[in-house]
């Protein structure tokens, strides 16, 4: 499916809703804001819908002017961004379904559902932000500006792990070069997006290090934090995510697992792999999804130790 097919939908309609996945990350927020800015320039009416807290490292860029208390009963178009399936934008599902035309723009390889009228899923793209650049610049042909470039930088740089992950391509760098031509300050953006942490977030690192467990001669590295510790530290469930890549940085590990116990019934499992294990398949077995080297799922009704046993057993089978 070509992205070009979406051009007329954007030009021929007037009211737009932009939705992205629950507990949004830099890609979901950055891509959504970039699209909202662009639609505003095109003279369209646009509302953005997001569920869950804006992560602390993105707040410096956050703009709530597209959020509304009075959504339209029905939008001409609803655009779903960075959402591998409809469950990912749970509470906006009826809003999405009621739109005259629905679009999906995404980069999750597990997104095979074709849940929108027009779907564009590019599994090789580093981020939804990279696809949004293509859409805005080459399909809609709306010039970028500094603000839009900052949003796209946030989307791209966060999802490709500051250009370290294997999803980073030569094209990713070319796109970022174009964003820099708009005058974005990469040093300023990177400080907020990647380096600054609250003191209690940093203290969380030692909890994660203390809880680290190794299995299978260190090929599996796993750690966890629970809500009691997060509550004590005043760090939100989502802001604890910056630890997510820590387990896979243990030398010799192939799969890193980061587990966050949200409450006595709900546990978030995040997988990262270093080389050959396809963690999206493991996450799908637990009802989640994602990418080959970064995926996640939520487990209900199991204890921490039961979850750890299940996760480690799943990885053992594919090592
Ligand atoms: P994280 O582990 O950082 O939450 O997510 C890693 C990747 O897996 C992201 O691309 C994210 O969209 C995807 N992912 C995480 N949790 C889920 C889930 O519960 N369902 C699906 N379909 N994808 C998920
Ligand atoms: Mn993404």
């Amino acid at each position: 499916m070509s992205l070009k097919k979406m051009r007329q939908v954007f030009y021929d309609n007037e009211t737009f809703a932009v939705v992205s996945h629950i507990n949004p990350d830099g890609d979901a927020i950055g891509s959504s804001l970039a699209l909202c800015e662009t639609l505003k320039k095109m003279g369209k009416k646009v509302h953005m819908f997001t569920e869950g807290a804006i992560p602390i490292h993105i707040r410096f860029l956050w703009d709530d002017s597209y959020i509304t208390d009075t959504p339209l009963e029905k939008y001409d178009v609803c655009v779903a961004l960075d959402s591998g399936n409809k469950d990912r934008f749970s509470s906006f599902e009826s809003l999405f379904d009621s739109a005259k035309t629905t679009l999906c723009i995404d980069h999750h390889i597990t997104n095979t559902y074709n849940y929108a009228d027009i779907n564009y899923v590019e599994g090789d793209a580093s981020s939804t932000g990279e696809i949004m650049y293509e859409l805005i610049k080459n399909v809609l042909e709306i010039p970028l500006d500094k603000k839009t470039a900052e949003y796209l930088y946030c989307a791209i740089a966060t999802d490709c792990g500051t250009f370290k992950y294997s999803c980073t391509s030569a094209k990713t760098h070319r796109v970022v070069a174009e964003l820099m031509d708009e005058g974005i300050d990469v040093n300023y953006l990177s400080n907020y997006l990647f380096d600054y942490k609250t003191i209690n977030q940093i203290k969380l690192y030692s909890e994660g290090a203390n809880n680290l467990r190794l299995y299978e001669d260190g090929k599996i590295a796993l750690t966890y934090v629970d809500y009691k510790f997060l509550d004590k530290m005043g760090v939100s469930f989502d802001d604890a995510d910056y630890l997510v890549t820590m387990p896979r940085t243990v030398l010799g590990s192939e799969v890193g697992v980061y587990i966050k116990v949200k409450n006595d019934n709900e546990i978030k499992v995040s997988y990262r792999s270093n080389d050959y294990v396809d963690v999206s398949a493991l996450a799908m077995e637990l009802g989640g999804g994602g990418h080959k080297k970064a995926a996640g799922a939520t487990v209900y009704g199991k204890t921490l130790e039961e979850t750890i046993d299940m996760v480690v057993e799943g990885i053992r089978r594919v090592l």
Side-chain angles (χ1 to χ4, degrees), residues 215-249:
Y215 303 86
E216 301 293 299
D217 292 330
K219 287 201 189 69
I220 304 171
L222 175 150
T223 194
Y224 59 89
V225 293
D226 74 9
Y227 65 93
K228 292 179 196 125
F229 188 77
L230 294 176
D231 283 351
K232 196 172 88 188
M233 302 307 286
V235 174
S236 78
F237 191 70
D238 298 321
D239 291 334
D241 260 354
Y242 90 100
L243 268 189
V244 71
T245 54
M246 186 260 264
R248 73 146 189 96
T249 63

Side-chain angles (χ1 to χ4, degrees), residues 25-271:
D25 58 8
D27 194 19
I29 296 291
S31 297
S32 298
L33 285 172
L35 181 58
C36 289
E37 283 296 307
T38 303
L39 290 171
K40 186 172 83 177
K41 281 189 212 163
M42 292 170 70
K44 309 295 181 184
K45 186 173 183 66
V46 54
H47 288 151
M48 175 172 167
F49 296 86
T50 183
E51 185 180 348
I54 306 300
I56 203 164
H57 62 286
I58 302 171
R59 267 176 232 161
F60 76 108
L61 270 185
W62 173 238
D63 174 3
D64 65 3
S65 57
Y66 297 103
I67 303 289
T68 179
D69 291 335
T70 50
L72 304 184
E73 209 154 280
K74 189 179 165 76
Y75 290 85
D76 292 343
V77 182
C78 183
V79 191
L81 298 176
D82 203 39
S83 303
N85 64 50
K86 274 167 87 172
D87 293 348
R88 298 283 285 150
F89 47 85
S90 44
S91 71
F92 308 128
E93 210 170 321
S94 59
L95 178 134
F96 181 84
D97 288 334
S98 70
K100 214 171 67 190
T101 306
T102 55
L103 304 178
C104 158
I105 301 175
D106 184 31
H107 71 128
H108 292 91
I109 50 168
T110 49
N111 186 344
T112 52
Y113 305 97
N114 285 328
Y115 60 75
D117 296 327
I118 306 180
N119 300 272
Y120 184 78
V121 180
E122 189 181 335
D124 289 337
S126 67
S127 50
T128 300
E130 192 175 312
I131 307 172
M132 294 314 293
Y133 168 85
E134 194 64 33
L135 177 83
I136 295 167
K137 192 84 193 291
N138 298 327
V139 175
L140 301 177
E141 297 176 291
I142 302 295
L144 292 173
D145 55 36
K146 185 175 171 192
K147 200 162 155 194
T148 309
E150 285 182 334
Y151 293 147
L152 291 179
Y153 185 83
C154 164
I156 296 168
T158 54
D159 248 32
C160 68
T162 41
F163 315 102
K164 289 184 296 193
Y165 299 163
S166 52
C167 60
T168 308
S169 66
K171 185 182 174 196
T172 312
H173 286 284
R174 277 186 211 109
V175 168
V176 169
E178 298 276 333
L179 302 181
M180 291 179 78
D181 283 344
E182 296 301 324
I184 64 169
D185 182 339
V186 166
N187 179 241
Y188 158 81
L189 294 171
S190 301
N191 275 338
Y192 280 93
L193 290 173
F194 304 111
D195 291 352
Y196 296 147
K197 304 279 176 286
T198 66
I199 184 77
N200 283 351
Q201 272 182 306
I202 290 172
K203 287 182 180 163
L204 203 62
Y205 201 94
S206 69
E207 173 77 356
N210 280 333
N211 292 342
L212 202 53
R213 298 182 189 180
L214 301 180
Y215 303 86
E216 301 293 299
D217 292 330
K219 287 201 189 69
I220 304 171
L222 175 150
T223 194
Y224 59 89
V225 293
D226 74 9
Y227 65 93
K228 292 179 196 125
F229 188 77
L230 294 176
D231 283 351
K232 196 172 88 188
M233 302 307 286
V235 174
S236 78
F237 191 70
D238 298 321
D239 291 334
D241 260 354
Y242 90 100
L243 268 189
V244 71
T245 54
M246 186 260 264
R248 73 146 189 96
T249 63
V250 176
L251 184 64
S253 69
E254 166 57 19
V255 180
V257 182
Y258 180 48
I259 293 179
K260 291 187 301 177
V261 181
K262 188 165 190 179
N263 54 48
D264 291 330
N265 185 47
E266 191 177 334
I267 295 181
K268 172 74 200 271
V269 180
S270 290
Y271 297 89

